[in-house]
Amino acid sequence: MHSDFGSSPQQHTNKKMELLAPAGGYEALKAAVENGADAVYLGGKMFNARASASNFDSEELSKAVTYAHERGVKVYVTLNILVADSEFSELADYVYQLYSLGADALIVQDIGVANFIRKVLPEIRLHASTQMTQNNIYGLKQLEKMGFSRVVLARETSAPEIEKMVQATELDVEVFGHGALCISYSGQCLMSSYIGGRSGNRGRCAQPCRMAYSLVDGKGRDLLEGRKTGEHLLSPRDLKLLDNLGELQRMGVRSLKIEGRMKRPEYVATVIRVYRKALDFLQEQKGQEITARDLYELTQIFNRDFTTGYFQGYQGAEMMSFSRPNNRGTMLGRITDLKNNRLTLKLDRELGLGDGLEIWTKRGREGISVGRIGIPGGKTVDSAAPGDTVTIEFEGAANIGDRVFKTHDEQLIAQARLSFQEGKEMRKRPLKMQLSGKVGQKLRLTVWDDQQHVALESQCEAQEAQNRPLTQEVLVKQLGRLGNTPFYLGELTTALEGDLMIPVSALNELRRAAVEKLLEPSHSKPALTLNAYQERTYAWNQQLKTGRTVSGKTGAGKHLLSAAVTDSSMIAPLLKAGADRIILGGEHWRSRPPLTLAELQKALDTCQSRGRTLLWRLPRILNQTQCEQVLKDLTKVAGWSSRPVIMAGNLAEIEMLKTVDPEWTWETDYFLHCFNEAALEWVHRAGGRQAALSMELSQEQLAVLGKSEGIELLVFGDMEMMVSEFCLPGAVLGEGKDGARNKCGKACQNRDLYLKDRMAYHFPLATDQECRMHVFNAKTLNLVTELSKIADMGIRNIRLELLRASLPQAERAVTVFHQLWKETAGGKNIGKEETEEAMKSLEELYPDGFTRGHFYRGVLI
């Protein structure tokens, strides 16, 4: 259950790639195991990023772990959400429960949760969730230091990038191989959170990316009008790397992850069966190659059309499913005739009773469940083959020539269901047995497999056989009766001296006792007692309390206001307006020239000459190539006589900074999701002076964190909802065939672009020099009316995020907040009239309206 945390990079390529299956419920777990998964990942009823799946209660978790382990399958449990301080007591109990049940690893997103588990339970392995947004070597190095044993890479990594990371890390590398794709970098999407309070970081994503949108300009004109692009502009196709398994194996990827905890068990059964077959043929040269039937079943069970995602490089529009966000099934044929409530079509593939069909008409989709199949001559059949002409009852609206898709294959579903039918489990471990002994002694049965080894003696002594000795045939028959156990007899050898016999009942008892011994590890007690664990947890909590005010101080008693900008020409006016700190940099926006080191030096001089602080904000997302450029810039700036404070938006940037100079002052951006005291403790212990708090915290949660020093809260400005490697403007407006990078004609420049949803909200789009797309909330965050409450919490540092603001807008915001924040710092209670006047002043220059974000409503739990 508990083993070492890593392996040398050279060892990766010597291991077979693990097939990791999703399990949203117990039936799906059985489907995964029975169809060949090496490991499963699943969630309990708490703390997991698929809160809408069935998931597992305590009893089901125990049953699931036992079932899997008895069949040699590992179980990884998801704890991959952000966890509030009020939940840590429950989390602590849950973590020990998972450990005591024998979970093989915990999958974690929250740096605070990882910090807590590594301190109180180093005996259990940690996997870094894809929600941690890891896509470069420096981030992986930081994860190693944090005690992780595996990383689930961001889906945006390409094959060459994956290979470099595998070679450079001691972590096991896990890669998504099949299933749904998120359009945003996982862990960096707040779209569902901001729009409806359903946070993906809390397991409640409502998938707004699968909804319909139009792309409009600043005047509201639909830029795709008249084109047949489709309206699901943020909906990717499904990932399929079935043809790339050999390359992944060669690279040394340790685990191939199949997405689908929200999918039905039959989906899990079908996908795992096909990938198991492909991996067996690749790794062991056994079985058969993937057939056309396998590919059909993989496609039929669920697809939005398929893509290799970013694995083979950027694909632009070729990666997207603009026309529909859900299962498209497989093409069945076109309507050739339509009359008397019957449609006729010539089949491209087989059709059976109970199948579900969908007709793609000009006005939308029409669904049918096949209850009767007619053939020429007026006869009816239960099934029809490709090439047959059939008639189907249909009362909807359609036209001759319309395409018909099969979205449900009843026979395939039934076949999949049989594979995990209760009482007919086929997944078993082969046992080797040896029986030895002689007359007058108890017989010794030794039993072993790849995992365990047991040896037992018979209850009675062997006697010389008079007429029925223990032959190989008799022994195979009796010792091979393993029935409903998770074993089968693979090999039996004997070392018997002479013709021996013992009662059949004694042989049966030997077999039963051996099986019980082999299964004991699935029910063994944990090495760490509950009392010892509780003592560690108590010590951790005491350390957290005493460390609240020790590190990360930014000046006791001072109330500071930071202004984040990307245009260095704004710095002097904003300092004059009252900004105490300037945050400069971040993404290299296409709307303005990139920040040069010369400009950074000038900005630093400007701030220092006025006694203010400059923070150099590093980009939110960096791939390996971009990391190397940032590292070069950091190395150059490190040689300056005075340097800016660094604001890091990810773990990689912390690692790079420490590589250049461990003493360089740094803070963390809100993208790193400091959601609890444990996360703050990690930042401060790692050397961070200050941490910007998560944007998803409510006032009750902020009140807890307000007790800590070294924190900053964003109170006004642009709310970035999503960052995506996919660039919509380039894909649909670009000059290149598929919107490929460098061939898009810079379709994003020189105009304002927005996503317009069905409620007529306009979400601003921006692109950066790396061709990533950023989506902002339709409304601006504004907590000007809450400043007194924020100050009362103990929070002393606030930030204005002015990335898209004009100079007049930025100056007004800084002036208003500076005045009220300084009054609050002086102990003045800001009245209703003052806040209303402040709000009115801001409304004049921000006509699109304001939101208080999650300050009052929080996120749904």
Side-chain angles (χ1 to χ4, degrees), residues 42 92 126 246 295-296 330 378 482 638 642 655 701 737 784 818:
L42 53 84
L126 286 184
L295 294 176
Y296 161 72
T330 57
L482 294 165
S642 61
E655 179 67 19
Q701 294 163 333
K737 179 180 178 182
V784 71
H818 168 73

Side-chain angles (χ1 to χ4, degrees), residues 79 81 83 88 91 108 110-118 676 678-679:
L79 292 177
I81 65 167
V83 178
F88 259 73
L91 174 74
V108 174
D110 191 324
I111 58 175
V113 172
N115 185 20
F116 167 74
I117 295 174
R118 275 284 66 88
N676 48 57

Side-chain angles (χ1 to χ4, degrees), residues 77-95:
V77 181
T78 55
L79 292 177
N80 54 342
I81 65 167
L82 303 180
V83 178
D85 288 294
S86 60
E87 299 170 316
F88 259 73
S89 176
E90 192 173 17
L91 174 74
D93 294 340
Y94 185 51
V95 166

